[in-house]
Structure formats: C-alpha cells, structure tokens
Amino acid sequence: MTSAAEQVPDPSDFAVGARVREIRQRNGQSLRALASALGISASALSQIETGRTRPSIQRVHEIATELNIPLSALFAPVLETPQTDAAHGLSSSVSYDSSICVQKAVEAPTIQLENGIRWDRISPRESDGLSFLHLVFEPKAGYSEYLRHNGREIVYVIEGTLTFHVGFTAREVSEGDSFMFPSTTPHKVVNPTEHRARACWLVLT
C-alpha cells in the first residue's frame, strides 16, 4: 500500500515557474527587471518560468526574496472551493475563507528542484513569515551551494540521515533528531548516504 507521504501529485502540476510568472506579473514587474535583480539573464529566468529548467534551492530563495513573498507562496494554489466529505461534514480541500483548514495528502502542492530534492508544502495555506515543508532528498542529493537568507530554520528528520553544514561546522542529523539554526549563517544540506532521507522543515522569516 502506498503511504500518505508517497501520495504526492505530479510535480509538473505545481511548476514553480508558473507561480513565479503569475506573481511577477501581478506585481507589475517585467521579466527583464526581475532577472536583473536576480543577477541572471532574462532568458535564464524565462526558462525557469516556462518549466524548461528547474531552479536550485538558492535560486528559489532569491526569487522569493525579490518578490517579497514567503516560500510557501511559490507553490501552486490549492483548490479555493472546499469539497465536503459527506460522511463527516468536513472540508477535503483548503478554504481560504476560514482559519481552520484541511489539506489532504494527495492535494499537497510540490516542487521538484534540481539535485534530487523535492519540496512538499505541508501548511494547508500560505502564512506570512512561515513556511512548513516536507523535504525529500534522494541518495547523495544536496544543495549545490551554500545559502544565506533571513530567518530561522527548524528541522525534524523523519527518515534517513542529513548532514548540515552551517558556518564552519558540520552536524549529522538522523531519524528522530531535530535541528535548529539561523538562516543568516551560510549553510547547505546534503544526504551523504545511499538511502533516501525525508524531513519536516519549518522556515520562519
């Protein structure tokens, strides 16, 4: 039987590029202006927006910063019209009109990044200053470069082992362990093993 954690939608259904384009256009910002702010060519940004290339984690953070949005806003929106579970009278989809939300496992928006890393949004809705994610690192997957951005990160490892390089130190965090660090310190995360790793990730900005 497939577990709830594995019941994820096709990443192409939640292409981060489409969300970048949607938010950029809503802000009245041109492709060239955002590309210039990111320090990349308009062609490179266009390839991200059209889904021809997958962005790195570093690039996703940079895009969210330039667009002045939380990471969670880069996930495609879930259904805004809730569907009622007849047996229990409960909403099976997210309602943006209520502070009480339910997000089914099969509805969780997901982003497939480069380097064998996938993000699933756990939070049923966007929340300013808070991004609650489920990250999957394939064997030997990891950040291609050090990141540095505003906020604080709290991680709980569900499966496998991850190595956190924060500043000049490296810490191994395994199943059942938790770890917290300031995002302002240069950091990167890798899965050094031949087995998949999964973790819950809370990013506070």
Side-chain angles (χ1 to χ4, degrees), residues 2-78:
T2 303
S3 68
E6 292 303 308
Q7 295 176 359
V8 297
D10 184 338
S12 64
D13 294 337
F14 299 99
V16 65
R19 286 293 286 158
V20 172
R21 182 175 59 243
E22 175 188 341
I23 296 170
R24 173 181 61 76
Q25 292 177 341
R26 188 173 63 203
N27 291 348
Q29 190 174 20
S30 70
L31 178 75
R32 190 173 300 278
L34 179 57
S36 177
L38 293 170
I40 61 176
S41 68
S43 175
L45 179 57
S46 177
Q47 289 182 350
I48 292 175
E49 290 193 348
T50 56
R52 292 196 296 271
T53 61
R54 290 175 177 170
S56 66
I57 289 183
Q58 172 74 15
R59 189 68 69 204
V60 169
H61 277 284
E62 291 172 350
I63 289 172
T65 298
E66 291 300 331
L67 293 176
N68 195 28
I69 56 173
L71 289 174
S72 58
L74 288 176
F75 290 81
V78 292

Side-chain angles (χ1 to χ4, degrees), residues 127-205:
S127 180
D128 290 343
L130 183 152
S131 296
F132 192 27
L133 309 170
H134 167 244
L135 269 66
V136 178
F137 289 75
E138 295 301 329
K140 300 297 183 179
Y143 295 11
S144 59
E145 55 191 323
Y146 278 86
L147 309 184
R148 186 177 183 180
H149 52 90
N150 292 332
R152 178 181 302 175
E153 302 183 37
I154 304 172
V155 183
Y156 175 77
V157 178
I158 304 170
E159 174 187 352
T161 297
L162 293 171
T163 299
F164 289 78
H165 299 268
V166 182
F168 297 103
T169 64
R171 293 177 173 82
E172 188 174 277
V173 185
S174 300
E175 182 176 335
D177 297 341
S178 56
F179 185 53
M180 181 171 67
F181 62 94
S183 306
T184 51
T185 301
H187 60 278
K188 69 176 181 178
V189 186
V190 298
N191 174 6
T193 75
E194 298 291 344
H195 305 282
R196 188 179 62 173
R198 298 189 297 118
C200 286
W201 222 280
L202 183 62
V203 183
L204 305 170
T205 56

